[in-house]
Amino acid sequence: MMRTRPLKVALLGCGVVGSEVARIMTTHADDLAARIGAPVELAGVAVRRPDKVREGIPAELITTDATALVKRGDIDVVVEVIGGVEPARTLITTAFEHGASVVSANKALLAQDGASLYASADQHGQDLYYEAAVAGAIPLIRPLRESLAGDKINRVMGIVNGTTNFILDKMDTSGAGYSEALDEATALGYAEADPTADVEGFDAAAKAAILAGIAFHTRVRLDDVYREGMTEVTAADFASAKRMGCTIKLLAICERSADGESVTARVHPAMIPLSHPLSSVREAYNAVFVEAEAAGRLMFYGPGAGGSPTASAVLGDLVAVCRNKLNEATGPGESAYTQLPVSPMGDVVTRYHISLDVADKPGVLAQVATVFAEHGVSIDTVRQQGKDGEASLVVVTHRAPDAALSGTVEALRKLDTVRGVASIMRVEGE
């Protein structure tokens, strides 16, 4: 039997995502009520610009006082889609203190301070759900937290930023340079006016921290994630990748160490074989590849951003949290029992693709090979081309600690016969 008293929802933020959440709550009200077991009512919407016309939202619901809204006491669920660390953190903890559960899409806050949010939710007996914080509409957080809770996850690797994937895909398929591809992404609305958070990997790093924490049942903060952007990737890098049967993607990679005693989380561009499922992820789509002991290899794919896809994830969480409210229960909280340390990037075992500009004369290859040997790095393949006293030397290594590979590159820069290091890129996905 359906409860007649509605569950009241406060919405913090009414931009692209928030307005779509409000629209779906209104247009699908009967379906949501049937799925939850009680009607849901939009009880207030906190915004910064109250004079802006918001179609479908009654003016009396609009407020600029977000604190007063979450303190009302009659709010069952707070949906936070304003982003940023503050005032979002204070508003969320205030909501918990006043008896409301929270649905959030705030990757930056969760990556930086998820532990304290979990603690506050647990202290006050409330839910914290955040499916929309990673990979938009793709069901990913709940499968990791619930469906795979009985399994051991060893690796999570994926494309979690649609802007960077669009840019790299255009560079790969059309031969465009970085700036040209970025301009196209901006014109189509995939890139912000200031794309730094995307192209420098900050957005993906926040998502990697969240994924690593859930997958490995340990606390991983944003500061623990190694990060490289993709602004230095060139058409020449794609040409080299194609010769190897690879393409280039900006990857978020979270791994458990071979001995199981530590974890790593990193974001950087990498060459991946065309045979790997992630290589075929095109345009602004996201995909995450999960490797678990019992389940094997799983891939989650779909649109990773945008108003409607992100709102879909928010509404899925809203339904789950409202059901919990009706049953006077809460869903899964933080699982950080392993307390595994996060190893630095230098300990990560990777492969390198290194392109060198060298003098075209006898003995150069022998000198380069000696440097690799001195640093304990084994060479997989070498390709050399020369003309008019100059040459390019492309070296692909076997797997070795990243610190050893970095030391090798620094030593190569000191050779008189090496004119410069044209590019360095890791090779993943084998």
Side-chain angles (χ1 to χ4, degrees), residues 118-141:
Y118 271 126
S120 180
D122 183 63
Q123 177 185 354
H124 297 286
Q126 303 300 326
D127 271 325
L128 174 61
Y129 275 56
Y130 48 90
E131 184 68 64
V134 180
I138 304 172
L140 182 60
I141 300 299

Side-chain angles (χ1 to χ4, degrees), residues 55-306:
E55 186 177 346
I57 300 178
E60 61 269 21
L61 295 183
I62 301 295
T63 178
T64 58
D65 194 343
T67 301
L69 179 60
V70 299
K71 281 184 173 181
R72 274 177 36 174
D74 64 336
I75 299 297
D76 295 289
V77 184
V78 169
V79 174
E80 183 271 309
V81 288
I82 57 177
V85 175
E86 287 291 357
R89 173 168 44 199
T90 299
L91 290 170
I92 288 173
T93 55
T94 301
F96 292 144
E97 292 165 2
H98 287 78
S101 290
V102 173
V103 173
S104 177
N106 197 330
K107 54 187 172 287
L109 176 57
L110 288 159
Q112 180 172 310
D113 209 16
S116 69
L117 297 182
Y118 271 126
S120 180
D122 183 63
Q123 177 185 354
H124 297 286
Q126 303 300 326
D127 271 325
L128 174 61
Y129 275 56
Y130 48 90
E131 184 68 64
V134 180
I138 304 172
L140 182 60
I141 300 299
R142 192 171 288 115
L144 291 177
R145 285 214 293 182
E146 300 178 31
S147 303
L148 296 173
D151 209 338
K152 181 180 180 182
I153 297 173
N154 292 317
R155 195 172 203 231
V156 179
M157 180 173 77
I159 299 161
V160 294
N161 183 277
T163 300
T164 54
N165 198 60
F166 180 89
I167 293 170
L168 292 172
D169 183 47
K170 289 302 175 183
M171 292 176 69
D172 184 23
T173 57
S174 71
Y178 166 76
S179 296
E180 184 183 351
L182 174 59
D183 288 344
E184 184 175 353
T186 304
L188 292 172
Y190 293 130
E192 301 287 345
D194 180 2
T196 302
D198 295 321
V199 300
E200 294 295 348
F202 290 102
D203 176 86
K207 295 170 182 176
I210 295 169
L211 292 174
I214 297 171
F216 307 132
H217 303 278
T218 197
R219 286 178 179 167
V220 179
R221 289 170 50 88
L222 180 59
D223 292 345
D224 296 321
V225 181
Y226 173 84
R227 176 192 55 79
E228 280 181 28
M230 42 74 69
T231 58
E232 301 300 318
V233 177
T234 66
D237 292 325
F238 274 102
S240 292
K242 286 180 179 180
R243 283 192 287 267
M244 289 179 59
C246 293
T247 189
I248 299 171
K249 298 291 185 182
L250 185 74
L251 298 179
I253 305 172
C254 311
E255 292 179 302
R256 192 189 299 269
S257 63
D259 61 9
E261 297 300 317
S262 64
V263 299
T264 59
R266 50 197 165 103
V267 170
H268 54 73
M271 295 182 179
I272 58 172
L274 295 176
S275 58
H276 193 282
L278 290 177
S279 71
S280 60
V281 178
R282 308 295 298 277
E283 299 283 331
Y285 276 75
N286 284 192
V288 177
F289 202 70
V290 177
E291 298 179 22
E293 285 197 354
R297 295 183 174 185
L298 309 170
M299 184 162 149
F300 301 84
Y301 170 84

Side-chain angles (χ1 to χ4, degrees), residues 273-348:
L274 295 176
S275 58
H276 193 282
L278 290 177
S279 71
S280 60
V281 178
R282 308 295 298 277
E283 299 283 331
Y285 276 75
N286 284 192
V288 177
F289 202 70
V290 177
E291 298 179 22
E293 285 197 354
R297 295 183 174 185
L298 309 170
M299 184 162 149
F300 301 84
Y301 170 84
S308 294
T310 306
S312 171
V314 169
L315 267 295
D317 279 351
L318 179 63
V319 168
V321 169
C322 286
R323 287 170 175 170
N324 290 343
K325 281 283 184 180
L326 290 180
N327 294 323
E328 298 182 347
T330 55
E334 183 184 31
S335 177
Y337 71 92
T338 63
Q339 299 182 24
L340 294 173
V342 182
S343 296
M345 186 63 192
D347 292 346
V348 175

Side-chain angles (χ1 to χ4, degrees), residues 352 354 356 371-372 374-375 402-416 418 421 424:
Y352 265 27
I354 306 170
L356 304 171
V371 170
F372 278 90
E374 289 173 347
H375 287 79
D402 200 82
L405 289 162
S406 297
T408 302
V409 172
E410 290 307 307
L412 289 170
R413 295 182 193 274
K414 297 176 182 178
L415 290 178
D416 292 339
V418 174
V421 179
I424 308 166

